[in-house]
Amino acid sequence: MLGIPTVLDRVVQQAIAQVLTPIFDPLFSESSYGYRPGRSAQQAVEAARVAIEDGCRWVVDVDLERFFDRVNHDKLMHRVARKVEDKRLLRLVRAYIEAGVMVDGVKQATAEGTPQGSPLSPLLSNIMLDDLDAMLEQRGHRFVRYADDVRVFVRSQRAAQRVLDGVTAFVEGRLALKVNQEKSAVTTASSAGLLGFAFFFVAGGKVRIRVHAKARKRVKERIRQLTRRRWAISMPERMERLNRFIAGWMGYFGIAETRSVFEELDEWLRRRLRQIRWKEWKRFAARRRNLIALGIRPDQAHQWAASSKGYWRLAGSAPLQRALPNAYWDDLGLRGFNHHWHRRR
C-alpha cells in the first residue's frame, strides 16, 4: 500500500536518505540505474541497446512479484547494518519500515515490505537488490536493473533459460522475495521491452530504440482525454495543456529513433484538433464562412458545410486538411511530438 509520511517524518526520512546515499551508492553496481544520483531510465535503455548490439540477442525478463510489499525486514536491516554501525539510526530505519499504514482510520501493521511513498524506499530497494547485482556480475552476465525491473542479456535461448532458473533460485532463496513466473520470461531482443521502450534491428546489425507499443497506446489515451470534443475549454488553453504534456512525454521518450512514429502521432493529433474546430463552428453558415476565409472555394465550402458525415471522417477530408493545415496549428502555438524530437537532435 502507498504510505504517505507526515511532514516531519518525510523531513527525517529524507535526511536519513541523504546521509546513507553517499555510503551505499558508490558501491552499487554500474548496471543499476534506478533511483540513483546522475542516473536515468534513458541510460538504462542505452546500456540495453549496446548489449543487444554486441550480440546478446536473448533477454531474460525477471519480474519481482509485489517487490515493495514483500521485502523481508530482517534481511533488509542486515544489509543496511553491513555499512551502518549507529544503533540509533538502525532502530530509526526499522521503525519507519514497520510504521504501518492507515486504512479507513485504522492502523494496519506492516510485517514486511517498504512503504511506497517514503523518501527512504528507493534507496532501501537498491540496498536489498545489490546482492542480486553482485551475483549477476560474478557470473559474468550483462544486465540492466532499474529498481525492481531486471533484464539480463545473453547469447542463446538455452543460456537464457539457465539464467532465469538461477535468478529465480537466488531471489526466492537468498532474498526471500518472489519471482512472478507468469510475467517472467525468456524472449528475443526484438520483442523485449524495457521502461516503455523496445528495440529493432537495422542494416549492419545495428540496434535502434523505439517506443514500445504499450507506451504508444497510453499516450494516445491521454491525448484523447485532452482533445475531447465535449470538453468546453478554449483552444489556447487546450494548446497549452497539450504542449505541457507533449513536452514532458518527449522529455522521456525523445531518445527513441523512430521519427515516423512521432510524425504519425502528430498527424493523428491534428486530425483530432480538426474535429474540435469543426464542432466549434457548429452551424452551416459559420462552417461555410470559415472554410471560405481559409481558402476553400465557395462551391466546395458550401458542399462540405452541408455534409452530414461524422466528425472524424470530415476531419480527415481533403478540404478540411487544406483549410486547417500543419501551419495553421503551428501558428496557434502547437508544438507537436516531431518538433521536440528534432530539437533533441
Side-chain angles (χ1 to χ4, degrees):
M1 293 188 177
L2 185 64
I4 309 298
T6 64
V7 173
L8 178 59
D9 283 335
R10 181 175 291 277
V11 170
V12 174
Q13 290 179 32
Q14 183 62 45
I16 295 172
Q18 289 178 204
V19 170
L20 294 185
T21 295
I23 297 173
F24 285 95
D25 190 80
L27 303 175
F28 288 153
S29 168
E30 288 297 313
S31 298
S32 169
Y33 293 89
Y35 309 129
R36 296 184 60 190
R39 288 176 166 253
S40 66
Q42 289 82 357
Q43 291 174 338
V45 173
E46 174 60 20
R49 185 198 68 78
V50 172
I52 296 169
E53 194 170 81
D54 288 345
C56 299
R57 302 296 172 85
W58 287 91
V59 182
V60 182
D61 181 348
V62 182
D63 184 273
L64 302 181
E65 185 175 302
R66 296 173 57 203
F67 168 71
F68 287 95
D69 296 331
R70 290 183 177 273
V71 171
N72 182 285
H73 290 169
D74 290 336
K75 290 185 177 293
L76 172 59
M77 292 308 303
H78 171 71
R79 285 160 174 78
V80 176
R82 290 173 182 171
K83 302 295 179 185
V84 177
E85 297 180 356
D86 190 319
K87 302 298 183 182
R88 295 170 301 172
L89 181 55
L90 291 173
R91 285 197 297 270
L92 186 57
V93 172
R94 181 179 278 275
Y96 276 128
I97 63 178
E98 294 179 347
V101 294
M102 298 291 288
V103 180
D104 297 326
V106 178
K107 180 181 176 181
Q108 292 188 2
T110 49
E112 59 182 7
T114 60
Q116 295 190 59
S118 163
L120 265 177
S121 287
L123 175 61
L124 295 178
S125 69
N126 279 329
I127 293 173
M128 187 67 190
L129 292 175
D130 189 51
D131 282 6
L132 173 60
D133 297 343
M135 182 273 287
L136 291 171
E137 287 181 342
Q138 288 169 4
R139 297 184 182 181
H141 294 307
R142 298 186 68 169
F143 69 97
V144 167
R145 183 176 66 79
Y146 193 94
D148 59 335
D149 209 346
V150 185
R151 300 290 185 279
V152 186
F153 303 89
V154 295
R155 295 180 180 273
S156 71
Q157 185 176 9
R158 181 177 296 179
Q161 190 58 56
R162 286 199 303 268
V163 169
L164 179 56
D165 294 340
V167 169
T168 300
F170 183 88
V171 167
E172 297 186 349
R174 183 75 64 85
L175 302 182
L177 296 169
K178 180 71 174 176
V179 172
N180 189 325
Q181 297 295 337
E182 294 183 1
K183 293 184 178 180
S184 298
V186 169
T187 184
T188 59
S190 57
S191 58
L194 176 63
L195 301 172
F197 295 92
F199 308 93
F200 65 101
F201 295 91
V202 296
K206 297 295 183 180
V207 177
R208 296 290 181 261
I209 300 169
R210 62 184 173 88
V211 181
H212 197 280
K214 290 182 180 179
R216 295 207 303 270
K217 181 179 179 181
R218 287 194 295 269
V219 71
K220 293 185 82 169
E221 288 173 355
R222 180 57 181 153
I223 293 294
R224 284 191 182 95
Q225 294 174 358
L226 293 171
T227 55
R228 297 192 308 273
R229 295 197 306 272
R230 294 183 180 180
W231 190 20
I233 64 172
S234 68
M235 188 61 78
E237 184 179 353
R238 196 184 298 268
M239 288 291 180
E240 182 181 350
R241 295 185 183 224
L242 282 167
N243 284 339
R244 280 205 306 266
F245 170 72
I246 293 171
W249 194 85
M250 287 300 294
Y252 182 82
F253 285 101
I255 64 169
E257 300 163 286
T258 47
R259 176 181 176 181
S260 60
V261 170
F262 300 129
E263 290 176 339
E264 289 170 7
L265 284 171
D266 277 339
E267 183 179 345
W268 177 78
L269 168 61
R270 287 190 293 265
R271 186 169 179 178
R272 290 193 62 83
L273 290 173
R274 287 196 295 271
Q275 283 188 117
I276 296 169
R277 193 56 104 196
W278 190 248
K279 183 178 181 181
E280 288 176 346
W281 291 344
K282 292 184 179 179
R283 301 182 182 279
F284 166 82
R287 288 173 174 174
R288 181 178 183 277
R289 182 176 63 254
N290 283 309
L291 286 174
I292 293 173
L294 290 167
I296 305 301
R297 292 203 325 258
D299 58 326
Q300 287 187 335
H302 184 98
Q303 175 187 353
W304 285 94
S307 175
S308 60
K309 295 176 181 176
Y311 288 111
W312 182 249
R313 186 171 178 183
L314 282 167
S317 66
L320 216 56
Q321 289 189 57
R322 290 202 307 272
L324 303 172
N326 297 358
Y328 176 87
W329 303 109
D330 292 342
D331 291 343
L332 288 179
L334 179 65
R335 298 295 177 259
F337 297 91
N338 209 35
H339 166 81
H340 290 283
W341 187 82
H342 276 293
R343 288 189 64 185
R344 294 179 67 101
R345 292 318 185 260

